Amino acid sequence: MAVFLERAGGRIAVTGRSVSRYGLVVVLAWIGAGKYVKMESRTLIEHSPLMSWLYDFFSYATVANALGTMEIVAAVLIAVHPLWPRISAAGSAIAVVLFLGTLSFLFTSPGVVDTVVNGFPVLSGQPGQFLLKDLVLIGVALWTLGESLESARERRMSDASPNRSFARHP
């Protein structure tokens, strides 16, 4: 069984990469679409020294729609990786910035820690555990950014290669 799993390792890794990339796409698109029907981050943004100033200039709905649009755009750009890896890298970079903002809420939002048990802080369901998942999501976004940049570099190098075959072109 171990030998079978070792041989299957490459296929499992390829599957994992696809699930990670397109799982990130689904999460971003779904959360982004949700910003149009429900503003769950209003309280988080209000307590953020990095973002609370937005409400001095824009309504809650405008901020929600802008964030939702950025999340949906990032999702679409990440999804086009097989065709346009450089464009996909831009989507991943947007996602990294979005997740950095969200992770900052772990330190600025009231109610992140529900209680302390034997000196260990226990996260609340909302917002604590809700925000903590973004630690994994930013990791996936960084990975997709790196993979997209590497794919774009490889494509550029192969396009510039003097050994490139032009047999298809008369």
Side-chain angles (χ1 to χ4, degrees), residues 20-21 23-29 31-32 35 51 67-79 87-104 133-146 148:
S20 295
R21 173 175 298 282
L24 180 61
V25 166
V26 169
V27 167
L28 282 167
I31 290 173
K35 297 275 191 320
M51 294 187 218
L67 288 171
T69 299
M70 288 175 55
E71 289 164 340
I72 292 168
V73 166
V76 170
L77 295 179
I78 292 168
I87 291 172
S88 182
S92 295
I94 293 168
V96 168
V97 170
L98 289 166
F99 292 129
L100 281 172
T102 305
L103 284 169
S104 75
K133 65 156 175 35
D134 285 9
L135 189 56
V136 174
L137 293 172
I138 196 171
V140 174
L142 285 165
W143 169 77
T144 61
L145 174 58
S148 294

Side-chain angles (χ1 to χ4, degrees), residues 104-116:
S104 75
F105 299 152
L106 277 170
F107 307 101
T108 60
S109 298
V112 169
V113 174
D114 189 37
T115 187
V116 176

Side-chain angles (χ1 to χ4, degrees), residues 75-86:
V76 170
L77 295 179
I78 292 168
V80 302
H81 176 264
L83 299 172
W84 301 297
R86 189 174 294 163

Side-chain angles (χ1 to χ4, degrees), residues 9 17 20 48 54 61 63 66 68 78 96 111 113 116 118 125 146 149 159 161:
R17 286 192 294 270
S20 295
S48 170
L54 290 170
V63 172
I78 292 168
V96 168
V113 174
V116 176
N118 296 326
L149 291 171
D159 288 349
S161 172

